[in-house]
Amino acid sequence: PELDAFEAEVAEYCHRRHAVGLSSCTAALHLSLLVLGVKPGDRVVTSTMTFAATVNSIIHARAVPVLVDCDQTGNMDPGLLEVALDSLADKGQRVAAVMPVDLLGKLADYDRINAIAGDRSIPVVSDAAEGMGATLGGRPAGSFGTSAAVSFNGNKIMTTSGGGMYLTDDE
């Protein structure tokens, strides 16, 4: 009952309909990719500036991480994302997801990232592990993308000493 209540509270806080508590944020990112149907060999585009767990979740899904450099905020550069997606498309490589990382409490430029990915029908998975408590345009970390993952590891703003949560609006 405590976990059910915690999931409901985090879902509400992050403006999501559903939340699933897991052993780690890495597990939540991995689950996000599995739910999207990421297949072995698919490309998942993520940020260069991140913790190993982001890339590990992509590798656990047997996909290929493609790293995009960051802008002055330390988050994914939307202009470079667009270049990377065009380059991958030119090579005939399937991009299954874009996974921006909210770094050190600063949220990625989701307006631009969602527009760029949306124009190509590519889902966005928000790695909000370091974003809990931050907002962008009045929206909290974890509310962006098709799904999001947050961390409750001991070094985070809000901690349970470990664990993570998968957030989505898709029942």
Side-chain angles (χ1 to χ4, degrees), residues 34-150:
L34 296 179
V35 167
L36 290 174
V38 173
K39 295 176 180 50
D42 283 349
R43 284 10 185 206
V44 176
V45 180
T46 193
S47 305
T48 54
M49 188 73 156
T50 188
F51 183 66
T54 309
V55 173
N56 288 345
S57 69
I58 296 167
I59 293 168
H60 289 323
R62 299 179 22 199
V64 177
V66 176
L67 301 174
V68 170
D69 212 350
C70 301
D71 62 17
Q72 68 280 2
T73 69
N75 292 318
M76 180 182 285
D77 184 312
L80 294 177
L81 169 64
E82 192 162 25
V83 170
L85 293 177
D86 289 344
S87 176
L88 292 165
D90 289 345
K91 294 175 187 171
Q93 296 175 337
R94 177 174 155 9
V95 177
V98 172
M99 188 182 289
V101 178
D102 298 335
L103 188 67
L104 302 172
K106 292 182 268 179
L107 304 188
D109 185 346
Y110 286 102
D111 287 341
R112 290 185 59 204
I113 291 169
N114 285 335
I116 291 164
D119 287 347
R120 294 159 176 81
S121 300
I122 300 170
V124 172
V125 174
S126 172
D127 180 345
E130 294 187 12
M132 195 69 151
T135 61
L136 179 68
R139 290 180 59 188
S143 68
F144 297 93
T146 303
S147 62
V150 295

